[in-house]
Amino acid sequence: MTDFSERRFSIDPGKGKKMDGCPYSIFEDGRDVKDYIIPPKGYVFKGFRFDPEASNQIYDGKLIAIYEKESFNQKMMSQLWKFILAFAIIAVIAIIAILAAGVFKDPSPKPNRPVKESTTTDQSQEPESIAVIDSTAAETETVDTSSVGQALPIGNEPKVTEVQEKETAQFITEDPSIQFKQAFWTLIHQRTIMMDAYDTLFKDNKGKVEGEEYDYLRYTILKNSTAFKEWTAKLQKIPASELGTINTINDLKSKLNTIE
């Protein structure tokens, strides 16, 4: 009898197929080649049936593949991955569609249509905003035209109203020279040490204003960076209470000259 280690069995796939390169089996149950068997559609592989095949001098027998019809549960399990893949694809498409709808949606709200007001009025009702005219007040507002063109007596000159005073003050503050001086002395009284603030004031008023403050700003404060540092160092030494009372270039120069 042939030794077990030397036994060889040929493989017959029966109704199915076997993969290319399927070897012979050294086991009578064919457990070492079962993965090479491809069952026909609708069937599952169940094992091998041994055929001694005594007339074959090369192999010690033949292993014939056995199949059985696939049950409904087995069929559903084998097809389950297809359903899962289809569901995943549908879910991805739905998410993309929702995101695309959100991106291309017009974010601007639709304007509300104005509500038409009724033009019908009840003429029996009187308007609530009718002003009552006082006859005595109307009498006091009567202008005496007999005095027009005549000189007013001394002591009865017309008084300047508050509105006129405000208009005059507004006209004065709109003068570029006055605005410049106010801004200049504000920087001085605040002891500003930022060169950019003085440079901006100079550039904004270049060619628009003249005077001692403008010349002092141009030729002394903004002479160069070194001179500016020396000037601000002296300015910082002036007490704030004393600096607030200085309002002329001469007084400022005099005070700075006393500081070492």
Side-chain angles (χ1 to χ4, degrees), residues 193-235:
I193 60 173
M194 300 299 294
M195 192 172 185
D196 289 344
Y198 295 95
D199 185 64
T200 301
L201 180 63
F202 169 73
K203 291 179 179 178
D204 290 345
N205 292 275
K206 187 176 182 179
K208 299 179 182 178
V209 299
E210 297 177 349
E212 293 181 349
E213 285 83 356
Y214 183 79
D215 293 339
Y216 186 77
L217 174 64
R218 179 179 181 183
Y219 298 110
T220 301
I221 298 177
L222 298 176
K223 182 179 180 180
N224 53 56
S225 59
T226 303
F228 180 79
K229 290 180 180 179
E230 294 176 355
W231 179 83
T232 53
K234 291 183 178 181
L235 185 69

Side-chain angles (χ1 to χ4, degrees), residues 17-33:
K17 296 179 182 180
K18 62 180 179 179
M19 298 180 183
D20 294 338
C22 177
Y24 60 83
S25 176
I26 61 174
F27 298 101
E28 190 172 316
D29 59 0
R31 59 180 179 269
D32 56 342
V33 295

